[in-house]
Amino acid sequence: MTSPVKRIAYQGEPGANSHQVCVQHYPDWEAVPCASFEDVFAAVEGGDGIAPSADLAMIPIDNSIAGRVADIHHFLPASNLHIVAEHFLRIRFHLMGLPGTRIDEVRSVHSHVHALGQCRKLIRTHGFQPVISGDTAGAAREVVEAGDPTMAAISPPLAAQIYGLEVLAEDVEDEEHNTTRFVVLSRDLVEAPTGNGPVVTSFIFNVRNLPAALYKALGGFATNGVNMTKLESYMVGGEFTATQFLAEVDGHPDDPGLKRALEELAFFTTDVKILGVYPADPFRTQP
């Protein structure tokens, strides 16, 4: 008997960066494209009696240029999914057009608004008219569907293979350090073991709207020597008096220092929820 095919969901069209990272780290899995982040979460969670259509979700959470990915901080706390892994992807964009197209024939270039903003030098140098598309890979599909040699797309390399486009220029992004961090979400809580390499712990918490509440809540991490790598705040329910924080620290909750810090955090907050305890990607230690 053959094992059932495992599926991993991502937001975007085939050929998107999220698809690329799925192929890179889960090559034997079926990558499932979804129209929105909400659909990705639903594909793994299920709901309203609908069986889940994917085992894992690949979600971008931060970009080294654009910052945090909008909406993800709203879905994570409310979902029943857990972070089980992280992956960093060096973002590469190629200029691609119909087969046989020359770069001097191109008049308009299509892509997601962020991709266009990250490839300004190319656009200015050639005098292209930028046209916003909903998705970087979707821009490649639109060029194929239009059949217009004056149109080109700024898309990930995988999109050229999928849609049969010709690469006119490689690595056209302005910054070489353009990198996106992805997290892998699962219905099951799978914690990385202690003593088997660096670990990241992600969690959310709420603080009361009182003077020095955040200072007191975080004091335990400093006194116990715990390195905090992320701290972001969000309003809860649109109210200015209720603030939720997403935090990430180096270490495992069973480590003595982090265990004491989390105990102290709970004393000064209204709620603490561990989102995941997972292996740190080797990218974190690169110079």
Side-chain angles (χ1 to χ4, degrees), residues 14-15 94-101 110 136-149 151-169:
H94 289 358
L95 179 71
M96 54 192 71
L98 296 174
T101 298
H110 300 242
T136 53
R141 174 184 52 77
E142 292 167 3
V143 169
V144 173
E145 292 175 348
D148 184 351
M151 291 172 54
I154 290 177
S155 302
L158 184 60
Q161 303 174 30
I162 290 176
Y163 299 104
L165 293 177
E166 185 172 319
V167 175
L168 308 179

Side-chain angles (χ1 to χ4, degrees), residues 74-135:
H74 293 303
F75 291 121
L76 269 177
S79 78
N80 294 315
L81 303 182
H82 309 277
I83 302 175
V84 295
E86 67 170 358
H87 302 292
F88 290 79
L89 179 69
R90 161 77 164 83
I91 301 301
R92 300 175 62 205
F93 288 122
H94 289 358
L95 179 71
M96 54 192 71
L98 296 174
T101 298
R102 301 190 314 272
I103 195 169
D104 58 6
E105 295 180 90
V106 176
R107 297 291 177 267
S108 63
V109 62
H110 300 242
S111 197
H112 187 272
V113 61
H114 286 165
L116 293 172
Q118 294 167 13
C119 301
R120 290 190 179 96
K121 293 178 183 178
L122 172 84
I123 295 173
R124 286 199 304 267
T125 298
H126 294 277
F128 295 147
Q129 177 186 355
V131 180
I132 296 175
S133 298
D135 181 82

